[in-house]
């Protein structure tokens, strides 16, 4: 059966918005799993919570979601912010098909307007063609329809929606199973339409391309390490077989076969992405050096 997503293989989505608006909760509902902590970011221990997760949409298509921390919560960018921005860009490399800008109903401020302006300043004007808006806390509307809410919203919000070509949806992240199914289904329809409107082309620029190159280089190194390890395991298996008494060594041979199978299933790029989440990742350091333009752009926007 043909996939509604065509032959894309992977749908990459980046979640944007301030801390506390329900980004992580929305991501969990789209992924149908508790992948993201509702307190995503740096914990008291200094370690990063999960920033990406994935699930199969169908037999041919993988959904890959990057949950960006509140990148634009602060007006005073620092080294931590710098690392989070570079991580977010690298995790979505070579580029997202869709950015979901999450806004909580009743909490719209000028900062939300500024976020889209900042996004365009950093990534380029064309990024707006890939942005959709999802309003959380739909239950706060009571009997009011989301379209009526938008029509009576402040001019700043209406202008923002117009800038995003009227691409918006709403969700009650804590709704029942039936309502969540209907609301996430509509969001996926909106994602699909956005991808169709962009002719199945994801957003990218030099930053994403630089990040993809760094990840590919590390992925190739990881694949070489895996290939070497598999060769060593196979040699170990042959040595065991040559010792005779295969029955007595059966458990060891099966363990080796299992380890070889696991290594063959390992995806080098995912392993490289996991390395990005480590606090003192040398790969992240490499990215920070390669993507200095990201930090220059960010500092220019805020000063």
């Amino acid at each position: 059966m043909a996939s509604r997503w065509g032959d894309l293989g992977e749908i990459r989505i980046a979640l944007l918005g301030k801390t506390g608006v329900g980004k992580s909760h929305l991501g969990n509902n789209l992924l149908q799993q508790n992948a993201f902590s509702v307190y995503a970011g740096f914990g008291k221990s200094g370690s990063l919570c999960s920033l990406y997760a994935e699930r199969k949409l169908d037999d041919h298509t993988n959904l890959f979601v990057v949950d960006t921390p509140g990148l634009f919560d602060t007006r005073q960018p620092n080294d931590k912010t710098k690392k989070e921005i570079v991580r977010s860009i690298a995790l979505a490399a070579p580029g997202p098909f869709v950015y979901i800008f999450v806004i909580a109903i009743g909490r719209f401020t000028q900062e939300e307007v500024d976020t889209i302006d900042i996004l365009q300043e950093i990534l380029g004007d064309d990024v707006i063609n890939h942005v959709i808006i999802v309003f959380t806390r739909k239950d706060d509307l009571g009997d009011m329809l989301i379209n009526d809410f938008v029509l009576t919203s402040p001019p700043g919000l209406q202008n923002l929606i117009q800038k995003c070509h009227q691409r918006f949806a709403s969700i009650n992240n804590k709704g029942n199973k039936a309502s969540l199914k209907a609301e996430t289904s509509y969001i996926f329809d909106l994602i699909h339409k956005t991808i169709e409107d962009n002719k199945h082309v994801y957003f990218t620029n030099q930053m994403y391309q630089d990040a993809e190159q760094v990840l590919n280089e590390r992925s190739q190194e990881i694949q070489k390490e895996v290939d070497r390890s598999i060769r060593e395991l196979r040699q170990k298996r042959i040595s065991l077989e040559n010792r005779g008494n295969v029955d007595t060594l059966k458990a060891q041979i099966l363990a080796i076969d299992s380890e070889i199978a696991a290594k063959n299933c390992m995806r080098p790029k995912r392993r490289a992405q996991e390395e990005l989440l480590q606090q003192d990742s040398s790969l992240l350091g490499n990215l920070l050096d390669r993507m200095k333009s990201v930090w220059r752009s960010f500092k220019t926007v805020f000063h």
Side-chain angles (χ1 to χ4, degrees):
M1 183 176 179
S3 169
R4 71 178 296 199
W5 306 98
D7 58 358
L8 291 176
E10 181 173 82
I11 306 297
R12 292 179 298 279
I13 294 174
L15 302 174
L16 302 172
K18 294 178 64 178
T19 298
V21 297
K23 292 193 314 297
S24 301
H25 210 155
L26 172 62
N28 288 339
N29 284 326
L30 294 176
L31 289 158
Q32 299 178 355
Q33 57 181 288
N34 291 322
F36 302 127
S37 166
V38 293
Y39 304 106
F42 286 94
K44 291 181 180 178
S45 64
S47 61
L48 273 169
C49 299
S50 177
L51 291 180
Y52 73 89
E54 58 189 321
R55 78 170 173 93
K56 282 287 187 181
L57 290 175
D58 55 42
D59 289 341
H60 309 284
T61 314
N62 195 51
L63 173 67
F64 186 84
V65 180
V66 177
D67 180 20
T68 64
L71 299 181
F72 306 115
D73 287 346
T74 176
R75 305 300 296 185
Q76 298 296 325
N78 51 34
D79 284 344
K80 182 177 125 178
T81 311
K82 173 182 178 181
K83 289 179 180 179
E84 289 181 348
I85 289 173
V86 170
R87 273 193 182 99
S88 298
I89 289 174
L91 287 172
F97 285 92
V98 172
Y99 294 86
I100 297 181
F101 184 32
V102 184
I103 301 174
I105 286 173
R107 294 185 60 183
F108 179 75
T109 67
Q110 182 60 37
E111 288 181 333
E112 269 77 16
V113 177
D114 292 343
T115 296
I116 293 297
D117 292 338
I118 291 168
L119 192 67
Q120 288 184 284
E121 286 283 347
I122 295 175
L123 300 178
D125 290 340
D126 289 345
V127 71
I128 200 68
N129 296 324
H130 298 262
V131 176
I132 69 175
I133 296 173
V134 172
F135 293 99
T136 57
R137 302 184 184 178
K138 180 181 178 180
D139 48 313
D140 287 353
L141 291 177
D143 295 330
M144 180 181 284
L145 298 176
I146 186 63
N147 286 1
D148 293 335
F149 167 77
V150 169
L151 287 174
T152 57
S153 64
L157 180 54
Q158 292 192 39
N159 292 337
L160 180 59
I161 291 172
Q162 183 64 38
K163 184 180 283 190
C164 294
H165 308 290
Q166 299 293 324
R167 293 188 296 264
F168 67 91
S170 61
I171 189 171
N172 173 11
N173 275 324
K174 298 179 180 179
N176 59 42
K177 187 175 181 180
S179 65
L180 281 174
K181 182 178 180 180
E183 289 161 2
T184 55
S185 178
Y186 182 80
I187 292 171
F188 276 116
D189 288 343
L190 194 55
I191 290 169
H192 184 266
K193 184 180 185 306
T194 303
I195 293 174
E196 289 282 306
D197 289 346
N198 287 296
K199 304 185 186 306
H200 287 210
V201 176
Y202 54 81
F203 175 80
T204 192
N205 61 12
Q206 192 60 49
M207 297 177 191
Y208 282 109
Q209 291 163 17
D210 286 347
E212 180 71 356
Q213 183 177 348
V214 171
L215 285 171
N216 283 340
E217 290 170 357
R218 177 58 185 141
S219 296
Q220 290 171 12
E221 293 174 356
I222 291 171
Q223 187 61 60
K224 289 179 181 178
E225 294 168 5
V226 170
D227 291 344
R228 182 173 61 253
S229 178
I230 288 175
R231 287 196 299 271
E232 291 173 354
L233 286 168
R234 285 175 174 162
Q235 186 59 49
K236 183 177 179 180
R237 190 186 195 284
I238 292 171
S239 297
L240 286 173
E241 290 176 335
N242 289 339
R243 285 164 57 182
N245 283 327
V246 174
D247 288 340
T248 61
L249 300 172
K250 187 175 181 179
Q252 294 182 53
I253 291 174
L254 287 175
I256 290 174
D257 288 343
S258 177
E259 191 173 351
I260 289 173
K263 289 182 180 297
N264 278 324
C265 291
M266 191 274 296
R267 292 180 291 174
K269 185 174 181 180
R270 288 291 183 267
R271 178 75 66 82
Q273 288 168 323
E274 289 169 7
E275 290 182 9
L276 286 174
L277 303 183
Q278 299 171 9
Q279 284 286 41
D280 299 317
S281 167
S282 59
L283 181 60
L284 179 60
N286 189 1
L287 276 167
L288 288 167
D289 288 339
R290 187 78 67 91
M291 298 170 65
K292 289 178 180 177
S293 60
V294 177
W295 190 229
R296 285 197 298 269
S297 297
F298 195 66
K299 286 196 294 185
T300 299
V301 170
F302 279 90
H303 287 84

